[in-house]
Structures are given as structure tokens and as C-alpha cells.
């Protein structure tokens, strides 16, 4: 358990643990990253150096510590956005106003501007429309006949389509947004193509927010009480008009929300890979639909969603964790993946067990930066599982499991393609 002391300055110097290099290695399918497994064994707090950025950072892997650090304002995201903290990503260009890099009170202000679009009730209202979208994609795949690439036909276009709906992208603009988003998330086109696509997307978002700022009435975009019109671009347009957000901030908030569907593509890609390579799990889901909600939570807990670690925080004060001094100014990472495998919270953590209570997992993060899209993602995952299992009872891999290609040298892990037949 993490603890606090007020007298750290008086403590004698303590030896620091060694700095461990954490290179970006090739990872196979859904294996748990071996370096992370070692770091978990080495201690509650270790020190790491990632391929880019400067210096080293602390890494917390135990569940309680991860929860404490992510919910403690002494660890700042804003401070981390203005430093070259050791990191996995080669490029680092945080946009001012991005939710992920904001501290309170800005973070609340930015997040409140869009939160109405991601509530349980907003997502519930969206569900029938999302069901139509997934049905249409499955119809197309079935009409063309097997084999098919499930990623290309369903797992990638579905989240992008649903995101466009939530954002309020007009139907005749969706193809353009779809193409930009694909370019940004694809690993194929290279850095320059991705930068161009980002420019296009952010420029388009800026114009859309400006239009809505100028053209819509308060009542249309302020809240969701009328039950149908609560799109993100209108919410942001209204917030900019009322002076709650700057236009650049609105663009910074909207960008990750527009691209966020990538996470569902890759996460559900890993989920279907696991189901299609573990007949026992697939059978359980098929024979016992009531097992699916808990099973999905267990799969979310188990899936190694990302490589290495996400975004760092900076300690703004000295903090004592298990007798180790984290000094003011030190960079700190947490691993949600490691916390999800903490044996004190999830016994026999490497085993996928649909009968365990996995609900306490931290796959969507914790604290103020908890994933904005968590309810929205769960809805999409449920629809994907229910629809594909029910409509394609014979769904299976069309190639041996070891021939499913997985993304490499990437932040978010998942299959590049999932060749299936039925
Ligand atoms: C943040 C996971 C889908 C938008 C996060 C965080 C995690 C996460 C671990 C970081 C928490 C932190 O910074 O400490 C996931 C997973 C997803 C998913 C596993 C899918 C299965 C989505 C989707 C969207 C989205 C679909 C948008 C539509 C965001 C945003 C943040 C975030 C905007 C930053 C929130 C903030 O800093 O306040 N997500 N996410 N995510 N996610 Fe997701």
C-alpha cells in the first residue's frame, strides 16, 4: 500500500534501484511483454529508460500504487507535457488543451465540455444506430462470402463510423474523415502521410467547431435533455461561443476523440484473436450468452492493450512510496497492464477466467484521466461480440494462429488483419 510521510527531507540518502533499459521489442500476438513481467518481479517501484526522450522515470506496477498515483494531484500531467521525459514514442508534440496533458482545474473545464456525449444514457441512445452500422458491415462481408479480413471489413470501419456519429460529422463528410483517420492510425503510410492526414483532420475539426459556434442556438447544443442532439462538435461549438473554451483547446479536445476509435479496433482485434484461438472461451460465449458481460471484462483485464507504458506524470512534491523517495521533479509512469495482473487483486492473474470478478480492472485507466470513451467502447465491443457470434455461428480463423500478423513497433497492439471464414 502506498503511504505518505511529511518528513522526507530529513531521511538519510537511500540507494536508488538500477535504471533498466526498456527497448521496443518485437511482441508476439497477445503475449504479456516480458520486460514488464521482469520489472513487476523486481519491485513495487523500479526505474526505466525507454527508447526516446531524456533520463529515466519511475515505474509503478502494483495495483494499489497505480490507483494512488493516478488519483493524486501531486503527480502532474501538465508538467510532463513541457519536458522531454523518457518515452516510447519517437515524436512528442503535445497540443495545448489536450485532455490527457491537462491538470485541474483546466482538465475538468475541458472534459465537462464534451462529457454529455459519453454518458451511459447518451451511449444507450446511440446503441440502436450503432447496431444498424455493425449489421450493415456484417451484411456486406457475408454478401461477398468467405474468407474475409475481419479487421478490414468490420473492426476498423465500425468504430470509425460510430465515432463520426457521436462527433456529429455530416454523412457526406464521413468518407473524408474515415480516410484521414485510417491514414493516421495505419502503420503503412509512414510519418509524412500521417502528418498530412492530421493536418487535414485538425483543420476540418477547427472549421466544424467554428461553424457550430456561429450557427447553432444554445438550446440545440447545451445538453442532452431532448434526447437526440448531443454531438461533440456542437457541444464544443457551444462551449467556445460561451467563452468556456478557446477554439484551439476545442480542437485539441476533439482530435483524440475522433481518432479514439483506433483503440476499439485494436482491442477488439485482440479479443477476437483470443476467442478464435481458444475454443473453450468461444464455446462458453456461444453456449452461454449470459457469460458475455463478465467475460468481456475479463478479456479487457487480460488484453495487453498497449506496448510499454502510456503517458508519464511528474511528482510536484516529494512522495514516499513503500519507503522509496520519489523526489519532486521525478518522472513517474504507471502500468495499467501490470496492475491488471497483480496477484493480490486477481489471483492466478495470467489465466483467463470468465467466472472471476474482473470488474475492478484498470484497462480504461483510473482517476481524473479515466478514459472518456470507456462506456462507449464497451457498447461497441458488446455489439461486435453479440452480432458476430450470433450471425456467424461457424466463425473461425482462416489461417493458422501463428500466421495472424500483429502490429509491431506500435503504441497500441492488435492484429493487422484477422483472416476469418464461417
Ligand atoms: C484515456 C484506454 C477507447 C478516448 C485512456 C487511458 C486509457 C484508455 C488506459 C489513459 C488513462 C490515463 O491517462 O491515465 C482505452 C481502451 C479503449 C479506449 C482500452 C478501448 C477498448 C477510447 C475511445 C475513445 C477514447 C473509443 C474516444 C472516443 C480517450 C481520451 C482519453 C483516454 C480522450 C484521455 C482522457 C483524459 O486524459 O482525461 N483510454 N481507451 N478512448 N481515452 Fe481511451
Amino acid at each position: 500500500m502506498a503511504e505518505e510521510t511529511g518528513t522526507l527531507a530529513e531521511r538519510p540518502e537511500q540507494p536508488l534501484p538500477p535504471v533498466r533499459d526498456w527497448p521496443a521489442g518485437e511482441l508476439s500476438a497477445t503475449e504479456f511483454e516480458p520486460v514488464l513481467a521482469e520489472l513487476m518481479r523486481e519491485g513495487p517501484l523500479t526505474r526505466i529508460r525507454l527508447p526516446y526522450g531524456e533520463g529515466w522515470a519511475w515505474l509503478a506496477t502494483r495495483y494499489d500504487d497505480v490507483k494512488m498515483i493516478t488519483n493524486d494531484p501531486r503527480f502532474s500531467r501538465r508538467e510532463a507535457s513541457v519536458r522531454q521525459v523518457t518515452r516510447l514514442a519517437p515524436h512528442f508534440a503535445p497540443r495545448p488543451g489536450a485532455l490527457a496533458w491537462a491538470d485541474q482545474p483546466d482538465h475538468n473545464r475541458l472534459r465537462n465540455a464534451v462529457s454529455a456525449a459519453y454518458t451511459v444514457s447518451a451511449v444507450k441512445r446511440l446503441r440502436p444506430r450503432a447496431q444498424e452500422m455493425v449489421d450493415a458491415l456484417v451484411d456486406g462481408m457475408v454478401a461477398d462470402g468467405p474468407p474475409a479480413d475481419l479487421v478490414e471489413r468490420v473492426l476498423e470501419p465500425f468504430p470509425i463510423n460510430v465515432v463520426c456519429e457521436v462527433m456529429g460529422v455530416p454523412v457526406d463528410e464521413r468518407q473524408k474523415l474515415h480516410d484521414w483517420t485510417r491514414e493516421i492510425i495505419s502503420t503503412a503510410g509512414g510519418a509524412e502521410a500521417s502528418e498530412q492526414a492530421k493536418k487535414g483532420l485538425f483543420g476540418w475539426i477547427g472549421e466544424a467547431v467554428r461553424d457550430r459556434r456561429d450557427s447553432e442556438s444554445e438550446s440545440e447544443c447545451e445538453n442532452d435533455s431532448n434526447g437526440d442532439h448531443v454531438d461533440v462538435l456542437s457541444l464544443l461549438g457551444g462551449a467556445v461561443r460561451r467563452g468556456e473554451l478557446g477554439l484551439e483547446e476545442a480542437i485539441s479536445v476533439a482530435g483524440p476523440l475522433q481518432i479514439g476509435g483506433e483503440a476499439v479496433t485494436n482491442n477488439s482485434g485482440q479479443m477476437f484473436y483470443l476467442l478464435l484461438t481458444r475454443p473453450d472461451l468461444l464455446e462458453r460465449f456461444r453456449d452461454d450468452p449470459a457469460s458475455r458481460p463478465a467475460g468481456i471484462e475479463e478479456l479487457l483485464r487480460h488484453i495487453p492493450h498497449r506496448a510499454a507504458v502510456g503517458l508519464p506524470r511528474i511528482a510536484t512534491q516529494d512522495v514516499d512510496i513503500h519507503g522509496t523517495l520519489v523526489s519532486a521533479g521525478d518522472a513517474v509512469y504507471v502500468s495499467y497492464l501490470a496492475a491488471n495482473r497483480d496477484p493480490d487483486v486477481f489471483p492466478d492473474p495470467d489465466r483467463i477466467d470468465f467466472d472471476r470478478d474482473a470488474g475492478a480492472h484498470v484497462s480504461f485507466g483510473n482517476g481524473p484521466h479515466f478514459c472518456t470513451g470507456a462506456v462507449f467502447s464497451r457498447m461497441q465491443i458488446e455489439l461486435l461480440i453479440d452480432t458476430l457470434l450470433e450471425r456467424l455461428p461457424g466463425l473461425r480463423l482462416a489461417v493458422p494462429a501463428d500466421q495472424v500478423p500483429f502490429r509491431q513497433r506500435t503504441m497500441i497492439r492488435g492484429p493487422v488483419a484477422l483472416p476469418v471464414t464461417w
Side-chain angles (χ1 to χ4, degrees), residues 19-266:
V19 176
R20 295 284 313 261
D21 275 311
W22 192 345
E26 300 275 304
L27 297 169
S28 78
T30 55
E31 77 162 333
F32 192 78
E33 200 162 344
V35 179
L36 182 54
E38 273 170 39
L39 290 162
M40 287 168 71
R41 281 193 292 273
E42 279 174 23
L45 271 191
T46 51
R47 293 195 300 155
I48 55 170
R49 188 187 299 115
L50 293 151
Y52 299 97
E54 293 164 10
W56 55 269
W58 293 104
L59 172 72
T61 50
R62 302 259 169 98
Y63 186 86
D64 286 344
D65 297 337
V66 167
K67 290 209 62 154
M68 184 280 282
I69 291 166
T70 50
N71 213 6
D72 186 328
R74 290 176 298 175
F75 297 96
S76 160
R77 269 292 170 71
R78 219 203 85 71
E79 286 302 312
S81 75
V82 294
R83 293 213 348 214
Q84 292 293 323
V85 177
T86 186
R87 61 175 186 267
L88 179 63
H91 307 293
F92 183 59
R95 286 182 64 96
L99 279 179
W101 295 109
D103 289 342
Q104 303 307 359
D106 281 340
H107 182 259
N108 267 352
R109 177 175 60 84
L110 298 165
R111 196 155 161 146
N112 286 344
V114 292
S115 53
Y118 299 99
T119 58
V120 171
S121 56
V123 169
K124 205 170 158 193
R125 271 199 305 279
L126 180 69
R127 197 178 174 111
R129 180 77 194 105
Q131 178 74 67
E132 284 169 19
M133 288 173 163
V134 72
D135 282 339
L137 290 166
V138 176
D139 286 345
M141 189 173 82
V142 169
D144 290 347
D149 173 4
L150 194 62
V151 174
E152 186 195 2
R153 299 302 302 255
V154 182
L155 304 185
E156 185 182 88
F158 175 55
I160 298 179
N161 289 349
V162 193
V163 162
C164 282
E165 191 78 18
V166 175
M167 298 298 287
V169 177
V171 173
D172 55 354
E173 303 267 19
R174 287 189 185 174
Q175 190 57 46
K176 190 164 62 188
L177 274 274
H178 191 113
D179 293 345
W180 278 325
T181 308
R182 276 201 68 162
E183 189 59 62
I184 294 166
I185 67 182
S186 116
T187 46
E192 202 177 308
S194 158
E195 274 315 303
Q196 278 304 110
K198 270 191 198 156
K199 231 183 234 170
L201 179 66
F202 285 117
W204 184 91
I205 290 173
E207 244 172 70
V209 173
R210 253 194 311 268
D211 282 353
R212 315 242 172 147
R213 174 196 63 190
D214 299 340
S215 68
E216 294 195 13
S217 70
E218 277 302 295
S219 61
E220 271 178 299
C221 52
E222 201 169 37
N223 59 51
D224 61 347
S225 57
N226 65 1
D228 50 6
H229 188 80
V230 63
D231 72 69
V232 172
L233 294 169
S234 297
L235 289 170
L236 287 170
V240 172
R241 184 175 52 245
R242 293 190 298 276
E244 293 159 11
L245 240 67
L247 180 64
E248 281 306 310
E249 286 180 324
I251 298 171
S252 299
V253 170
L257 293 171
Q258 180 67 46
I259 304 165
E262 176 200 13
V264 175
T265 298
N266 287 298

